[in-house]
Every structure is written in structure tokens, then in C-alpha cells.
Amino acid sequence: MSNGGLPMPSAMEEKLGYRRGPSRPWTRTVHLPIPGVTTRRLRLLVPTASLPLGKRRPLILVCLAAFAVFCTFAVFSRGISNQGTDWDWSKPVDPPTLVFKREDLQRVWLWTVTSGQYPTTNNIPKQIGLHSAPQNPAIPKRRSTPSRFRQPVEDTETYGVGAKRVYLDIQAQPPNVAYPPRPVPGSIVDMDVVMKHCDFSKDKYVRDCLEVLRLGGGLDNGMRVRRGSMDDWKYIYVLQENSTAAARDLADDSHVGSLRRPSSIQAEHDANDPNAGLTRKRGSEWETQVVLPPAIHNRPVSSSNDPCDSDYPRIFHMFWTGPFTDKPYMALMSWLFTQNTAIHMAQPPTSSPVCRPQFWVWINPGPAATVPNPSALKDMFTQIGTNPWAAPFLHPRFKDVIKFKMWNTTEQLDGIPEIKDEWRELQETLFNSGGHIINVPSKKEEEEEEEEESSTEASSSKSASSSSKKVDEDDMLNRMGSKSSSSYDRLSVILSDMARFVLTHRFGGVYLDADTIFLRDWEEIWGYKGAFAYRWSRLPKYNTALLKMNKGSALGTFLFRTALRNGLDFHPMTISRYMADAYSEALLLRLPDALFDAAWLNTESFQRERPPQPYFYDFENFFEAKDQYNGAPATLGFEGFFRGSYSYHWHNYWWRPFDKARNFPDLGPRFAASETMARQSELIGIHRNKTIEELWGETDVAEDKRDLDWSAVMKRTFESYIRGERPNMYGEWISW
């Protein structure tokens, strides 16, 4: 508004809402001291003096400040006073899961250490409360006794009584330097050395870790780019013969007889509480005393005539629901290309220092929530034999190393002694993932629903009934496999979270998700007797996409009893809570993801200033990268793909074909039937009217994709080995 340029009285300005200067805020910041905390202050917003509070303003401000101080003091005092009780107020989001008392945790630890399944020099956490060092046959004898003047530590050391370690200098020897040598049979990986060079929490780069893994494992193919002593990078060793001490029997409970609580968590009112410092699951009682079998006798491979150890079977497990596709096909193909299975020989040697691993493919014959019918096993093998992606693995050459097995949830859970008598109480909430439960109707409820549907269908039209049936086939409870990002088979994923722990506890070995390809021989991994998963990218949590556990271990007993009391929840984040609440994360080693998932940190914008080769900013780059990055796959090939890693996890792109241009098993004339089936079903229409001979004709190279993606290069590399056109990773040519 204008008044012709004449000055306006201030009273008129106020009436019209004008201000000569910037408006004053309604609140201002006040910083108050926090009792017991000298480095931080409490920040409060209080009304400014411009508010119409009159003479009572100072009194109101003082009252607000006093109330804030009182609340702060109450929160801190309550948190301190609740240490050692059933509920820990410092973790409101994740309630405690612990149901094992201290004495039972000690027994789990002692069983693991004495059985040789704790091959590390890391100490036992003070919260476990062991008062003396248990003997550890998985680490060498101590060279010298510790000094009595050393600074005391509350954590408990383990006393090494194991064989001497001889670290290996693994290199390809001239003139055979085109391919790396196979790992030494019976060799073992030192995870302490791996953690030293690869631990993300210690600011180690994936790129640097892969170089250590590559050179220390002899995968540089004699290129000799690095010079100088590399003793610090040697992480693979063998045990010296005749130098192993016998493991102590767990019948001697001298370590457990006197429970020790760390002084830092003792309090006067907890003086008579043997579980002081442990936070029990709310509303639960402690587990009854754990009964464990005798400790396993630890012995080096060289001391036995049989290279395979029945206590530590070399079995890879994979779980699959739905029609077999190119995804599990690629996992198996990469396994044949890298592992020491001796399939390149027409007849494997009868005596060999190598223990041939096996791959067990567990097929869930129907939707995750259904029970297999009596003919399910026969139907499963019929479907495998007629599936182009699965049928090649029924070839006699693979029969000793690849086994197809049927998954039966009831049978498998009944095979776990720790839960077989109790798991049925949780049957209706069996699909539990991170506390999110998907309710599956019982058989009685299903029958009632079917009767209701029958009466409804009788009064509806035939077309409406047909439409309803199509909808039901894609219902969450009836899905078999993930067809797209929008129709994800969530139930099968939750079931697989449980299956990996069931299989490794029952049979031993390593579980891998089907979205994995192998990148090198796992010989030294098998030599490592400890249990492990790997890190969830930047987070200090577990990713159980890869899980190694020992058959019938104390760790397995702890996990299954704890999971039973927590709703049979096996989600990786929940497993992280089980282990952390019990101060037992060291029993399930959390390896750096560089070993099995080297692209993960880059996809979450970490370490992009020094990425490994190749550089993926998204997991989709494995299947399709931008043109400026896609010259590397065909140029570098398999040898240029995260060299040093043991495997690669490509994270759930189930609906993306590995090779768009050749989306069929390209294995040569011996597997012609599978290729023909795949071509007839996958190449839509254009080859339907051609003969088999015409289908077998090679397409022109001009029809191929110009810039091959990494996924296509991997598939064609593995297939060319089976066709006999190139050797495998270690220079071994297949002989047909």
C-alpha cells in the first residue's frame, strides 16, 4: 500500500502488519548442562522475550529449565540402575533375545574352543566370565609364557596347544604360469591375517584386500608385478605333522566351576547373581542346563589316510523353489569351473590327497507353505529331467558331485534334536522374518475356505471363476519363485533363512544363496574349522547369504534354542542380535564382504574413490552396464572379475537373464536335448517352425550383442569349459 510517499506513523505500521526490520523469532535456543556429561549440553527452544508473557516470563523459563534437568537426570539414572535386569533401556528398538545363562554360555564356548572350532588368537569376551584360559588345539603352542608385568586384561585368552603352522608361498612356477596352481590339499586359511588386511571397520579397502587375497593365494599367475618380501600377505598355511596336542575332555569343568563377572559390571546388589551383566529376554526364563556331546578330537588332515573328514564334510548347500532357471544353473556351472571336483578326468583316481566336494541342491517341490505330496520325489526328478537348465547336471560325469535332494520342512525340523519336540507349537507363525510374521492358514482353515469358495463359485459365472483362479496362482502363499520385483516369492525367502541353518547344523558344510557364482577354489576355506557368515556391507551385522557351520556344533545348539524362544526367527539381523546379546559374535566370525560380495560397499556409495575391479555402482551393472564401462568384460574376461574373491553375490536379480542373446544352456552336442528344449521355449516364435538341424545352426556374430555384459561373459566362459574349448580356472582341460 502507498500513501503518496509521506511517512507513516509507527502505530499505523503496526496496525497494517508492517515491520521496519526483520521479524523476531518466537523461540530462542538455550543450552543447559547435562549432569555427569561434561562434553555435551542439552539444547532447548524456549519462547522469546517478545511473547506477551508479562512479568511471569522469568518464572516460566526457570520452570521449563528445571523440568528439562529433572527429565534428563531421571532417564540417565534409570538406565544405570537397570543394568543386569531383564530389560535394557538403552536398546528400546531391539529388545533382548538372550535365554542362555552365563554357565551355559561358558559351556558353549568351551565346547567350541576344545573341539578346535575357534582357530583364532582373539580372546574370549570378559562377559562370558571364564576364570582361566582353556586349551585351544586350533592355534599353535605359545612360544613364550606371558610376562607377569603385562597390563592385565579382563578378556580370557585361549592357550594354544595345536600344531605348528607353516605358511605357504604359493606361486605358479615357470614355464607353467598361464594358470594359477591348485591350492595345497589340507591347507587352511588364517582368518586373523585376512581380517588384518580386509576389515572394513578398520578402514581397509576392498581393492587392497583383493590384492592380498590374489597374491597370497597365488592367483597372479606369475606376473610378478609386486616385488619384495610378501610374508605379511601370506594367509594360507598347512599344519606340521606329528605336532598336535590332544584336546582336553569337557568332563573337566574346572573352567566353569567358579563363575567370574567382570568388575566393570559388578554391583553390590548383584553380588549373589551369577548372571549379572546379562540381559535376559523379557518375560522369559533362563534355558535349562545345556547338555553337549563330547568335544570333537581335533586332528590335522595329514594324520589321516582319508583326505575327507566325516566330522567336517565338504558339502555346498543351495535351496531352490520353483522351476529351475539360468540362476541356479550358473551357480553350478561356476562351481564346476573352479572347484577341485576332478570332473575333467574321465575316471577320477581311486587314491588322491584331495577330498572332492559335493553340491547338494535342495528343491522345494511346491510353494513354501505347502506340504509335499507322496509322489513329490518322483515328480521332482521328472521335472528336473525335462527342464533344460537342470537336465545337464544329471549327466553321469556329474553324478558323484552334484546331488538333487527334496526339501521337506517337517522332516528337516524333526531332524534337529534341539527343537524337534517343540517347533510345532509355532507352526502357524513359522514364517517369521525379523519379527514380521506371515500367517499361513492351517489345514482345517484351508478346508473351510475351500468349502466357502465352492459355494461362491456355484453362484458365479464360469469366467469369473477362471479369473479368480489366475489371481490365486500369483497369491503370496502360492508363488513358486520370483518372476519380477513386483511378484517376489517372500515366503520362500523366509523359508530359506531357516533352511540354511537347518542344513548346516544337520549335515555340516557351507550354504550359499542361488544368486552366487564361484570365483576360486575353496580348499583352504574347508580347512578352516570355525563358523562364519559375512558382513552386511557397512553395518556390523551378519549377512547369511553365505553361511558355514559345523555339523552338530554347540553354536548350532545355541542358535536353535535361542531361535525357538524368539519365534523361530532366522533373519540375518535377528541372528546378529542373538550373537551380540550373548557376547558370542566371535563364535560366528563376521568376515569382510570383500571375500564374497566385493561390490556391495561401492553400490552403497562407499570407497568409490578407490573401487576394486570391476567398478559397480549398482548391482544391475553385472547384467547391464553403461556403454562407457562395458568394454572391460570381453577384454578382461573371468580373470578380471574381482580377482581374489572366493565368490560373487549378485543380489536378487532373478528376472534378469544372464545372457540375453544366448538364453539357453550352450554346452555342445552332448547336451543337445537341453539346448533344443531351451531354444524352442525361449526364442519366441521365430524358430518355432525350424527343424532341429536348423536350430543347431550357428547364428551370425553380427546378431550377437556388441558389448557383452559381465553376466554373459561369465556364462559363456563356464560353458566353453564344459564344451572342451578352453581349460577351467586352473588350466585343466575336460576329457570326454
Side-chain angles (χ1 to χ4, degrees):
M1 179 181 293
S2 174
N3 62 355
L6 296 175
M8 184 181 293
S10 59
M12 182 62 71
E13 287 188 4
E14 292 233 355
K15 192 171 184 180
L16 296 176
Y18 289 112
R19 294 289 184 272
R20 292 183 177 180
S23 61
R24 300 185 64 180
W26 286 73
T27 60
R28 63 190 181 91
T29 303
V30 175
H31 295 86
L32 299 176
I34 301 175
V37 181
T38 59
T39 58
R40 303 190 65 180
R41 298 175 73 85
L42 185 65
R43 181 174 177 270
L44 294 176
L45 292 177
V46 299
T48 60
S50 61
L51 292 179
L53 298 177
K55 296 180 179 180
R56 294 183 180 180
R57 183 180 66 249
L59 178 61
I60 293 176
L61 295 179
V62 170
C63 291
L64 288 173
F67 179 75
V69 172
F70 172 80
C71 292
T72 304
F73 180 80
V75 170
F76 272 84
S77 62
R78 190 168 191 178
I80 295 172
S81 65
N82 275 278
Q83 286 187 1
T85 61
D86 288 349
W87 180 248
D88 184 357
W89 287 88
S90 65
K91 292 191 283 187
V93 177
D94 294 327
T97 62
L98 184 64
V99 294
F100 274 48
K101 51 185 179 288
R102 177 169 280 112
E103 180 181 358
D104 291 332
L105 291 177
Q106 290 180 340
R107 294 182 184 279
V108 169
W109 272 88
L110 285 175
W111 192 99
T112 304
V113 172
T114 310
S115 296
Q117 296 179 8
Y118 192 63
T120 175
T121 57
N122 292 333
N123 293 341
I124 299 174
K126 61 187 178 184
Q127 291 86 353
I128 301 301
L130 290 173
H131 72 277
S132 60
Q135 296 179 2
N136 189 348
I139 61 175
K141 299 176 183 178
R142 194 191 306 272
R143 294 184 178 181
S144 60
T145 56
S147 170
R148 60 177 178 170
F149 301 107
R150 188 181 59 177
Q151 184 71 22
V153 219
E154 288 187 329
D155 291 349
T156 306
E157 297 177 295
T158 61
Y159 184 73
V161 294
K164 180 182 178 182
R165 296 177 176 180
V166 179
Y167 286 82
L168 303 175
D169 182 15
I170 305 173
Q171 295 185 27
Q173 298 300 321
N176 302 313
V177 294
Y179 299 94
R182 280 280 184 190
V184 176
S187 57
I188 306 169
V189 58
D190 188 338
M191 292 302 184
D192 288 346
V193 177
V194 170
M195 293 298 291
K196 174 184 175 182
H197 293 284
C198 301
D199 191 353
F200 172 73
S201 64
K202 302 292 178 59
D203 298 325
K204 302 299 181 181
Y205 278 82
V206 172
R207 177 193 290 185
D208 299 333
C209 171
L210 293 188
E211 184 174 25
V212 173
L213 295 176
R214 185 167 63 249
L215 271 65
L219 301 180
D220 60 335
N221 299 357
M223 290 187 292
R224 304 297 195 276
V225 175
R226 291 288 186 183
R227 311 301 297 170
S229 173
M230 289 188 292
D231 289 346
D232 189 50
W233 289 10
K234 294 178 181 178
Y235 63 93
I236 300 175
Y237 64 89
V238 293
L239 297 176
Q240 194 176 61
E241 296 184 23
N242 305 319
S243 62
T244 304
R248 182 182 59 82
D249 196 334
L250 268 184
D252 175 11
D253 287 333
S254 59
H255 297 276
V256 188
S258 172
L259 294 178
R260 175 176 68 84
R261 295 177 298 280
S263 58
S264 59
I265 61 171
Q266 287 184 3
E268 186 176 348
H269 64 278
D270 289 328
N272 297 320
D273 182 8
N275 298 305
L278 299 179
T279 306
R280 188 174 66 228
K281 175 180 170 61
R282 183 173 54 176
S284 297
E285 298 297 326
W286 294 114
E287 277 281 295
T288 55
Q289 183 172 338
V290 178
V291 179
L292 299 173
I296 297 175
H297 178 65
N298 185 71
R299 61 184 184 276
V301 176
S302 57
S303 65
S304 173
N305 294 327
D306 188 351
C308 296
D309 189 338
S310 59
D311 291 325
Y312 301 98
R314 300 190 176 193
I315 304 170
F316 291 94
H317 301 276
M318 187 176 71
F319 180 88
W320 186 257
T321 297
F324 214 78
T325 68
D326 60 334
K327 307 310 183 295
Y329 166 87
M330 279 294 292
L332 289 170
M333 290 295 294
S334 65
W335 185 76
L336 294 173
F337 184 77
T338 57
Q339 305 308 300
N340 202 351
T341 58
I343 65 156
H344 62 286
M345 304 179 184
Q347 186 65 40
T350 54
S351 61
S352 171
V354 177
C355 178
R356 298 174 74 192
Q358 293 185 359
F359 203 122
W360 292 5
V361 184
W362 293 89
I363 303 293
N364 191 28
T370 61
V371 178
N373 61 61
S375 63
L377 184 62
K378 179 181 178 182
D379 295 342
M380 182 190 80
F381 277 101
T382 300
Q383 292 172 9
I384 291 173
T386 56
N387 184 297
W389 297 106
F393 302 112
L394 297 178
H395 191 280
R397 180 63 66 93
F398 310 134
K399 66 181 177 63
D400 293 332
V401 292
I402 295 178
K403 311 283 186 180
F404 288 96
K405 296 179 177 288
M406 188 181 74
W407 171 269
N408 183 313
T409 301
T410 301
E411 176 188 326
Q412 292 290 347
L413 293 181
D414 283 345
I416 303 295
E418 290 85 356
I419 65 171
K420 66 177 182 179
D421 298 325
E422 302 172 68
W423 72 266
R424 284 176 174 80
E425 298 174 8
L426 302 172
Q427 192 166 3
E428 293 186 5
T429 59
L430 195 61
F431 294 94
N432 184 354
S433 178
H436 177 67
I437 298 172
I438 300 177
N439 291 313
V440 176
S442 63
K443 188 174 182 181
K444 183 178 180 181
E445 291 174 342
E446 287 180 352
E447 291 174 353
E448 292 175 353
E449 288 179 3
E450 287 177 1
E451 291 178 3
E452 185 178 345
E453 287 177 3
S454 299
S455 60
T456 304
E457 287 177 2
S459 59
S460 61
S461 64
K462 184 176 180 180
S463 60
S465 173
S466 174
S467 175
S468 175
K469 185 175 180 181
K470 289 182 179 179
V471 173
D472 290 339
E473 288 176 354
D474 196 44
D475 180 74
M476 179 186 292
L477 300 181
N478 298 317
R479 287 177 187 164
M480 291 183 62
S482 301
K483 302 177 179 64
S484 68
S485 57
S486 59
S487 61
Y488 201 71
D489 189 356
R490 182 64 178 161
L491 283 186
S492 293
V493 172
I494 297 174
L495 183 58
S496 74
D497 284 343
M498 179 197 301
R500 65 200 67 204
F501 286 93
V502 171
L503 295 172
T504 51
H505 187 55
R506 283 195 71 188
F507 306 106
V510 173
Y511 174 92
L512 303 102
D513 277 345
D515 50 351
T516 300
I517 60 172
F518 292 83
L519 299 179
R520 60 184 289 190
D521 196 326
W522 282 41
E523 173 69 32
E524 60 268 17
I525 294 284
W526 289 118
Y528 180 80
K529 299 295 174 57
F532 64 76
Y534 70 93
R535 187 183 178 102
W536 190 286
S537 185
R538 69 191 188 281
L539 302 177
K541 307 290 183 181
Y542 292 107
N543 182 14
T544 55
L546 185 144
L547 174 70
K548 180 182 183 294
M549 278 178 49
N550 295 310
K551 180 173 61 174
S553 66
L555 172 62
T557 297
F558 163 77
L559 285 171
F560 274 98
R561 289 305 304 174
T562 302
L564 183 71
R565 300 284 295 277
N566 286 273
L568 283 179
D569 187 354
F570 288 93
H571 189 277
M573 293 299 176
T574 310
I575 295 295
S576 302
R577 291 167 54 201
Y578 296 163
M579 301 305 297
D581 290 349
Y583 301 99
S584 298
E585 291 175 296
L587 294 183
L588 184 63
L589 181 60
R590 188 164 48 236
L591 287 172
D593 51 10
L595 278 71
F596 313 108
D597 206 336
W600 201 351
L601 285 170
N602 282 170
T603 63
E604 296 190 352
S605 301
F606 287 86
Q607 298 189 358
R608 288 189 172 182
E609 71 279 10
R610 294 188 67 236
Q613 166 60 38
Y615 169 48
F616 288 169
Y617 54 86
D618 189 281
F619 285 118
E620 191 176 16
N621 297 155
F622 178 61
F623 296 94
E624 187 172 4
K626 291 184 178 180
D627 291 342
Q628 60 266 37
Y629 297 112
N630 227 17
T635 305
L636 301 180
F638 174 84
E639 289 75 14
F641 188 79
F642 296 117
R643 191 71 159 178
S645 289
Y646 284 89
S647 60
Y648 175 70
H649 183 204
W650 42 266
H651 286 258
N652 303 327
Y653 279 85
W654 305 109
W655 44 90
R656 296 294 300 269
F658 265 82
D659 190 349
K660 291 181 180 179
R662 303 182 70 81
N663 194 20
F664 52 85
D666 191 6
L667 300 175
R670 292 175 184 81
F671 304 92
S674 295
E675 180 174 342
T676 300
M677 282 190 293
R679 289 200 184 199
Q680 288 175 333
S681 61
E682 294 293 338
L683 301 182
I684 302 173
I686 58 175
H687 293 310
R688 294 285 183 180
N689 299 322
K690 291 189 176 182
T691 64
I692 292 179
E693 290 74 15
E694 290 174 326
L695 278 172
W696 266 101
E698 281 291 337
T699 57
D700 192 276
V701 70
E703 300 177 20
D704 202 357
K705 189 175 187 296
R706 197 67 182 92
D707 293 324
L708 296 178
D709 302 300
W710 279 109
S711 58
V713 169
M714 295 294 112
K715 177 178 177 290
R716 299 186 187 191
T717 299
F718 304 150
E719 290 174 334
S720 62
Y721 165 60
I722 298 298
R723 292 197 304 268
E725 298 172 0
R726 64 152 290 166
N728 63 18
M729 175 183 178
Y730 294 93
E732 299 160 346
W733 291 82
I734 194 167
S735 172
W736 290 105

